[in-house]
Amino acid sequence: MITATPLPRHPSEPAPSWQREMAEAVRSVTELLELLDLPADAVDIAADHAGFPLRVPRSYVARMRRGDAGDPLLRQVLPAAAEWLPAAGFGPDPVGDAAARRAPGLLQKYAGRALLITTEACAVHCRYCFRREYPYAEQADPAGRWQQAIDALATDPRIEELILSGGDPWSLSNARLEELVARLRALPGLRRLRIHTRQPIVLPSRVDAGLADWLHRLPWPTVVVVHANHPAEIDAAVAAALQRIRASGATLLNQSVLLADVNDDVDTLAKLSERLFAAGVLPYYLHLLDRVRGAAHFEVAEPRARVLLAGLATRLPGYLVPKLVRESAGEPAKRAVAAGWPGPTHPPAPA
């Protein structure tokens, strides 16, 4: 992944704070371990991770527990030696992005919806990312930013919802986002806009006044789907950023990935839902791991996931229980995974 290039600024104009934070992200495993007071032998590091390098904002590192090699936030970003272990059924394109491509940067898997790869850049490189091997450079639009994708959308009035994804769409500057919206206004069939972003969670400074204003002025009903996996990710700065998004009029949802030794216990999942709701976000999806090459050590087996969700249902009201789902290549929708229930008189014990 490559950092998105912002529009040129006047030489005297400082970069926004969030862009400086992205530029100053931790990229060295040695530095990351030093910041966390961890010796080099405390964790089993991948000897080679150049193909998917470490990248993590310093404000996210600040939420990690010092001296704890098993910290759940650290585990999500640290290149582990386990990434090189062979694993049957894991590959470079686990959800069928290549087969869903309609134009450079445009994917369509489900009826009435399409997804625009707005940028290859992210503020953080999550080790379980299902697009860690996505061929961004090969699928760039040679005719200009997004033009072929928007031309393809204009030919299909059945597409009523557009999902902005990436990378992370909020890695784009506010000026680039304005440019994108100006182009999307030409699509008469567009009824809803959805934005998938991890930026408010890992880089809350990204939700600045300009972005909030951009959200408020969008001409379509807008859903912002953030991505938080653990309650420790939601500190005061993140909660404030989420409230700014909500104040813009957007609907706020969260999707998580069920990850071994990160959030695979009922207490953690319950606290995550409660902390999200306190910040104005409804839990939406809990994804079973997309089986991308290098992420097998994060997988939680489906039977175990069912028990966890059943346990969550005994702890929380229904609106705080996310849908447990799996995405499979070629399917017409995400598959809902029903919660397992050991028996009417024996609810699952907390994990």
Side-chain angles (χ1 to χ4, degrees), residues 80-91:
E83 294 181 22
W84 287 94
L85 296 176
F90 285 75

Side-chain angles (χ1 to χ4, degrees), residues 1 51-52 83 127 129-134 292-295:
M1 293 186 181
F52 188 53
E83 294 181 22
R127 306 314 299 178
C129 178
F130 68 94
R131 290 201 179 114
R132 57 183 288 169
E133 295 191 41
Y134 186 84
V292 67
R293 182 164 53 197

Side-chain angles (χ1 to χ4, degrees), residues 62-152:
R63 289 171 250 168
M64 298 176 186
R65 295 190 295 258
R66 288 179 173 271
D68 184 357
D71 177 80
L73 277 59
L74 175 63
R75 182 168 168 79
Q76 293 180 62
V77 301
L78 189 68
E83 294 181 22
W84 287 94
L85 296 176
F90 285 75
D93 183 17
V95 297
D97 279 349
R101 182 174 178 263
R102 284 194 51 196
L106 183 66
L107 310 179
Q108 185 177 12
K109 299 177 183 179
Y110 307 137
R113 289 155 284 170
L115 183 147
L116 182 64
I117 302 286
T118 57
T119 176
E120 69 276 13
C122 284
V124 66
H125 288 177
C126 302
R127 306 314 299 178
Y128 54 87
C129 178
F130 68 94
R131 290 201 179 114
R132 57 183 288 169
E133 295 191 41
Y134 186 84
Y136 291 98
E138 294 175 17
Q139 298 199 21
D141 184 354
R145 189 181 294 270
W146 312 304
Q147 191 57 54
Q148 290 189 40
I150 292 172
D151 289 345

